[in-house]
Amino acid sequence: FIIDPESDFLNWAAGHLKAPAVSVEKFSKAEDALTAYQKNRCDLLLSEVRLPGMNGIELLKRIRQIDPNGMVLLFSGI
């Protein structure tokens, strides 16, 4: 999963992570990514810290409640 409010970055990152055995799902809101994670956990979640609504830190906390071993990488464009 990749979460970022900027669609240009999402498309760029998804293009660079694309591989034959890799599925990349893009989200602009943490809430949408969290809902998807609850249904189908991913191997790696990459998220911008500054998001509209729920921020990346809160998303990390909620992912940890669902899966304490979930792989989450937070980043910031600032």
Side-chain angles (χ1 to χ4, degrees):
F1 289 4
I2 304 174
I3 305 102
D4 193 283
E6 296 183 26
S7 61
D8 288 342
F9 175 78
L10 283 175
N11 293 330
W12 175 84
H16 280 72
L17 294 172
K18 199 172 197 176
V22 176
S23 173
V24 178
E25 291 188 48
K26 304 177 286 185
F27 302 92
S28 59
K29 295 181 181 177
E31 293 85 355
D32 296 338
L34 182 61
T35 299
Y37 191 89
Q38 290 170 330
K39 293 177 184 174
N40 184 27
R41 295 184 187 169
C42 60
D43 294 325
L44 176 63
L45 187 146
L46 306 170
S47 178
E48 166 68 52
V49 173
R50 296 173 186 252
L51 297 166
M54 181 190 320
N55 67 35
I57 302 295
E58 183 61 29
L59 176 61
L60 171 64
K61 289 177 185 177
R62 296 204 185 175
I63 293 293
R64 289 284 186 245
Q65 290 173 348
I66 297 167
D67 181 5
N69 296 316
M71 298 295 291
V72 177
L73 177 72
L74 298 177
F75 59 88
S76 178
I78 295 178

